[in-house]
Amino acid sequence: MSDAEVGHTGVLPDRPVVGILHPGAMGSALGSALKPRAGAVVWAAAGRSDVTSKRAEIADLIGVPDVDELARRSDVVISICPPHAALDVARQVADAVRDRAHPPLYVDANAVSPTTVAAIAELFDRGDGAAGVVDGAVIGPAAYEAGRTVLWLSGAAAPSVARLFEGSPFAARVLDGGLGAASALKACFALHTKALPTIWAVMAAAANGYGVLDDLRAEVGRMGGDLDAQLAALADKSGDRAWRWAGEMDEAADTVAAQGLPDGFSRAAAEVYRRLADGTLELGRGAP
């Protein structure tokens, strides 16, 4: 590549090689969406589960031995992993391409805070003004059909990444706010979709502890609400993702705290999801 390409202005080859870290449900959907415009979509097989391997196979992604090999081969690397692992994954890629003249464009599409995105950008900063990192945030489910999911992007090279998703099930939209804007939007939105619902779990657990759960249920119903329906919805949505959502709520708390705003409800939501994940809080029955 020339100095006008990745790592300098964010301009990509016509059909770039894209690396996906890692192809869970969302990562596989992103990889599948990129296939029409990418020369190849690769993933790192080392240490991944049989479930992940099957998803990658179904999405027709190409396996390479490990993260180092993926980083070396790729023009673009997209990280879609649990929030708590985002910085470590970025560090692996940055270490792998440290000696590469033109490193890949790194897209962090994780549910992290703008502060975490800034730390990731520092890993790829070579002091030459390179547009080496794009901030991404997915709002919506893993998409195989258009109309439900948006991939928000920010940073100098965001338009180049958005073009890769043209005509795909992911509606790619570029924010003007600069690096960190996409993650800020995702974190604020997550307060609505993930933090607010946890109040129902806390209400039920506290009422159960005091022996007034049935009375609370009746009072909520008298005011037109449905406690059981809210708890069922939370259980259905969080499911086996509760441990992951705990990390997302930690990042959301950091996001609002950075603006000098109260972050206690986000921290509390993170703790609720941790307790749901480890079984010390049961929806509808409170703490055992």
Side-chain angles (χ1 to χ4, degrees):
M1 297 183 184
S2 71
D3 284 353
E5 292 180 302
V6 176
H8 294 270
T9 66
V11 176
L12 297 172
D14 288 339
R15 292 184 62 80
V17 174
V18 180
I20 300 290
L21 295 172
H22 294 281
M26 186 63 73
S28 295
L30 286 166
S32 179
L34 287 163
K35 285 181 64 63
R37 290 184 175 270
V41 181
V42 302
W43 70 287
R48 309 312 300 176
S49 68
D50 291 341
V51 173
T52 297
S53 298
K54 188 63 177 179
R55 284 197 185 106
E57 179 184 348
I58 291 172
D60 197 25
L61 310 185
I62 300 169
V64 298
D66 52 33
V67 172
D68 287 0
E69 184 66 17
L70 178 145
R72 286 192 290 268
R73 290 192 187 191
S74 299
D75 299 299
V76 183
V77 174
I78 299 178
S79 172
I80 185 80
C81 66
H84 72 269
L87 192 55
D88 284 341
V89 169
R91 189 174 290 112
Q92 289 180 60
V93 175
D95 288 345
V97 300
R98 199 163 304 283
D99 296 330
R100 182 170 157 180
H102 304 293
L105 186 62
Y106 189 83
V107 182
D108 186 88
N110 300 303
V112 297
S113 69
T115 300
T116 298
V117 174
I120 288 170
E122 287 182 9
L123 295 173
F124 293 89
D125 183 8
R126 299 190 177 193
D128 59 359
V133 173
V134 169
D135 179 21
V138 181
I139 296 182
Y144 288 93
E145 58 183 32
R148 299 183 63 194
T149 305
V150 177
L151 172 61
W152 291 97
L153 300 161
S154 63
S160 294
V161 177
R163 283 191 287 273
L164 294 177
F165 287 91
E166 289 179 355
S168 83
F170 290 85
R173 299 177 184 171
V174 177
L175 292 163
D176 294 331
L179 201 66
S183 286
L185 175 61
K186 171 77 171 181
C188 293
F189 185 77
L191 298 179
H192 160 63
T193 57
K194 297 182 177 73
L196 284 178
T198 61
I199 191 66
W200 295 101
V202 174
M203 285 169 55
N208 185 66
Y210 283 107
V212 294
L213 180 56
D214 289 340
D215 305 282
L216 174 67
R217 181 181 289 111
E219 281 301 289
V220 170
R222 190 170 68 85
M223 296 297 177
D226 189 331
L227 176 61
D228 291 329
Q230 294 291 344
L231 293 173
L234 178 58
D236 181 60
K237 289 179 180 178
S238 60
D240 60 3
R241 297 181 293 274
W243 65 274
R244 186 174 187 137
W245 286 7
E248 184 172 347
M249 289 296 93
D250 286 332
E251 295 286 332
D254 291 343
T255 301
V256 298
Q259 292 296 316
L261 297 168
D263 62 345
F265 46 85
S266 305
R267 307 284 181 200
E271 181 62 18
V272 168
Y273 285 122
R274 287 191 183 91
R275 294 190 185 190
L276 290 175
D278 66 19
T280 58
L281 182 65
E282 297 180 28
L283 292 176
R285 299 199 311 173

